[in-house]
């Protein structure tokens, strides 16, 4: 029997990531090739005409799984009945704007949209925040939507995770699908800590540690980390726009694994509400290694943490605590 359609909200749908993301969702990349979807697309009034153009293209593409499209500038209409919410909309940093100005604009958007989601989304709606500052926007959304379970509010660090897999695959000249269990700890910012201490590569004689195969700790503890940390800036420099297709694809990976489960023996990185695991202060949205099953994520426990990692994990937690304080000062 055909499945009931799931309603998927994409905010900022007239933007660059939105334009890459909505066809992926309509093709089944996010929720599976047998899962019909109804797309809810939200943007702001100045982008309404462009948003309507995206809707026209979705109709023209005749996606078999796409059972309906809502394109609106009304946040309540956009949020009504949605099962998955991908929050991409936000205010970009403009010339002359201070970090605090960008933070101020975005956290007030996320405070407002939290209330609309809380009041109108389907029960158990899963939320993924993509827009920057992603961890702190997600935290504000969680705190201003108290009836949405905290485990349902996450942010995107899967792009950083995939970037780390890509760097290892290029360095070792192996298939990216044979590399697994890298970890992104912390913030989706240049303070994040990409960690390969538990990562492996599938070889003809079984899974081998990345550290053993790369055999160059100087590279793994230096250039590898900074390349992943600064990849977003490198893409902006090259394209003059921030990453879009890789962000959209990673958002699909994040939701697909959350809803349909991670493969046995594989963990992925998700920004989730900290419960104090690994000594990370509770009350931050922090990227951890997780496994998913039955629609729930679980932080991978018991991984040994060396002194080098500890310092980097603490530094990115410290940055998130400062962002949280700044966000609250903006909302006062
Ligand atoms: P964009 O500027 O092309 O698109 C953003 C869209 O959001 C625009 O269409 C804008 O009109 C809309 N918007 C603004 N305010 C809104 C509101 N209140 N409600 C709904 N829509 C609103 O930007 P983009 O390149 O698509 O990037 C979107 C966000 O994602 C940015 O914040 C970017 O920094 C972030 N990003 C995050 C990651 C990640 O891995 N977490 C990766 C890449 C980009
Ligand atoms: C990215 O990681 O590509 C983006 O978050 C960069 C940005 O500032 O938009």
């Amino acid at each position: 029997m055909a499945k009931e359609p799931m309603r998927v909200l994409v905010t900022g749908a007239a933007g660059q990531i939105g334009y890459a993301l909505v066809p992926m969702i309509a093709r089944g990349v996010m929720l599976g090739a047998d899962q019909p979807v109804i797309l809810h697309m939200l943007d702001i009034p100045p982008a309404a005409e462009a948003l309507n153009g995206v809707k026209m293209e979705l109709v023209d593409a005749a996606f078999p799984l796409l059972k309906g499209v809502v394109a609106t500038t009304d946040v309540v209409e956009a949020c009504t009945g949605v099962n998955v919410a991908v929050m991409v909309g936000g205010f970009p940093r403009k010339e002359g704007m201070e970090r605090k100005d960008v933070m101020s604009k975005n956290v007030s958007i996320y405070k407002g949209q939290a209330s609309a989601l809380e009041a109108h989304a389907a029960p158990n709606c899963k939320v993924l925040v993509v827009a920057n500052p992603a961890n702190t926007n997600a935290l504000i959304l969680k705190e201003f939507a108290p009836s949405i379970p905290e485990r349902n509010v996450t942010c995107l660090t899967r792009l950083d995770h995939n970037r780390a897999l890509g760097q290892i695959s290029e360095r070792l000249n192996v298939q990216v699908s044979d590399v697994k269990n890298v970890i992104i700890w912390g913030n989706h910012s240049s303070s994040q800590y990409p960690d390969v201490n538990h990562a492996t590569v599938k070889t003809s004689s079984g899974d081998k540690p990345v550290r053993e195969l790369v055999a160059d700790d100087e590279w793994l503890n230096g250039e590898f980390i900074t390349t992943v940390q600064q990849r977003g800036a490198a893409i902006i420099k090259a394209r003059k726009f921030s990453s879009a297709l890789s962000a959209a694809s990673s958002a699909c990976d994040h939701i697909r694994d959350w809803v349909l489960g991670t493969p046995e023996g594989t963990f992925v990185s998700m920004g989730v509400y900290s419960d104090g695991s690994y000594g990370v202060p509770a009350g931050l949205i922090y990227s951890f290694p997780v496994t998913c099953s039955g629609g729930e994520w679980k932080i991978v426990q018991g991984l040994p943490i060396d002194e080098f990692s500890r310092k980097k994990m603490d530094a990115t937690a410290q940055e998130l605590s400062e962002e949280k304080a700044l966000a609250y000062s903006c909302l006062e």
Side-chain angles (χ1 to χ4, degrees):
M1 211 173 71
K3 291 181 168 176
E4 280 294 301
M6 285 177 73
R7 292 180 181 270
V8 182
L9 166 66
V10 176
T11 71
Q16 296 197 85
I17 295 176
Y19 190 71
L21 179 59
V22 291
M24 293 183 191
I25 299 171
R27 271 218 178 269
V29 176
M30 177 179 275
L31 291 164
D34 62 344
Q35 177 58 64
V37 289
I38 297 173
L39 269 167
H40 288 219
M41 304 195 297
L42 175 72
D43 215 295
I44 49 176
E49 196 180 349
L51 187 67
N52 194 42
V54 178
K55 180 177 175 178
M56 287 157 66
E57 285 206 67
L58 285 169
V59 172
D60 295 349
F63 294 108
L65 286 172
L66 188 59
K67 302 301 176 196
V69 182
V70 177
T72 182
T73 57
D74 175 5
V75 68
V76 171
E77 187 186 5
C79 291
T80 298
V82 297
N83 307 101
V84 172
V86 188
M87 313 299 286
V88 184
F91 198 89
R93 188 171 184 154
K94 295 201 173 140
E95 221 180 329
M97 279 177 82
E98 296 296 329
R99 185 179 165 76
K100 189 169 172 157
D101 302 328
V102 187
M103 174 79 84
S104 164
K105 296 244 184 246
N106 282 302
V107 293
S108 40
I109 291 173
Y110 279 80
K111 183 181 169 194
Q113 294 186 349
S115 310
L117 273 176
E118 181 174 45
H120 303 286
N124 212 25
C125 173
K126 287 179 161 55
V127 183
L128 166 62
V129 178
V130 176
N132 285 318
N135 301 56
T136 300
N137 286 340
L139 183 68
I140 294 301
L141 192 154
K142 185 211 96 57
E143 300 209 337
F144 287 91
S147 70
I148 299 181
E150 63 196 30
R151 50 185 311 100
N152 286 27
V153 182
T154 65
C155 83
L156 188 70
T157 55
R158 183 63 174 267
L159 173 56
D160 310 288
H161 181 102
N162 288 344
R163 286 168 171 164
L165 296 177
Q167 290 302 306
I168 299 296
S169 126
E170 285 213 313
R171 169 78 185 204
L172 292 173
N173 197 20
V174 296
Q175 295 296 318
V176 73
S177 53
D178 288 338
V179 188
K180 67 176 185 178
N181 296 355
V182 298
I183 302 170
I184 303 298
W185 299 98
N187 200 0
H188 172 69
S189 77
S190 57
S191 78
Q192 66 178 255
Y193 170 42
D195 174 2
V196 293
N197 289 336
H198 314 281
T200 60
V201 177
K202 189 164 125 194
T203 72
S204 52
S205 49
D207 287 354
K208 293 254 164 69
V210 163
R211 275 213 184 264
E212 188 184 309
L213 293 174
V214 172
D216 182 350
D217 283 345
E218 198 181 317
W219 183 77
L220 284 172
N221 294 345
E223 193 183 330
F224 162 75
I225 293 178
T226 50
T227 300
V228 176
Q229 287 173 330
Q230 286 163 21
R231 189 67 160 186
I235 303 283
I236 294 173
K237 188 159 180 278
R239 254 174 43 85
K240 318 294 173 234
F241 292 104
S242 71
S243 57
L245 84 85
S246 54
S249 178
S250 302
C252 290
D253 290 344
H254 176 115
I255 297 287
R256 187 199 59 237
D257 285 349
W258 189 3
V259 173
L260 300 175
T262 41
E264 185 65 33
T266 299
F267 46 80
V268 295
S269 304
M270 281 171 71
V272 298
Y273 195 62
S274 170
D275 61 357
S277 292
Y278 293 100
V280 172
L284 297 176
I285 299 262
Y286 187 98
S287 180
F288 284 99
V290 301
T291 54
C292 305
S293 168
E296 302 286 345
W297 53 264
K298 201 159 75 181
I299 296 174
V300 177
Q301 297 293 340
L303 297 171
I305 304 295
D306 63 18
E307 207 182 316
F308 178 87
S309 299
R310 185 75 261 162
K311 282 201 183 117
K312 294 210 168 316
M313 288 161 67
D314 289 346
T316 188
Q318 179 59 32
E319 183 184 60
L320 280 168
S321 298
E322 286 164 17
E323 273 191 17
K324 179 177 179 178
L326 181 59
Y328 272 94
S329 75
C330 293
L331 289 173
E332 268 161 18

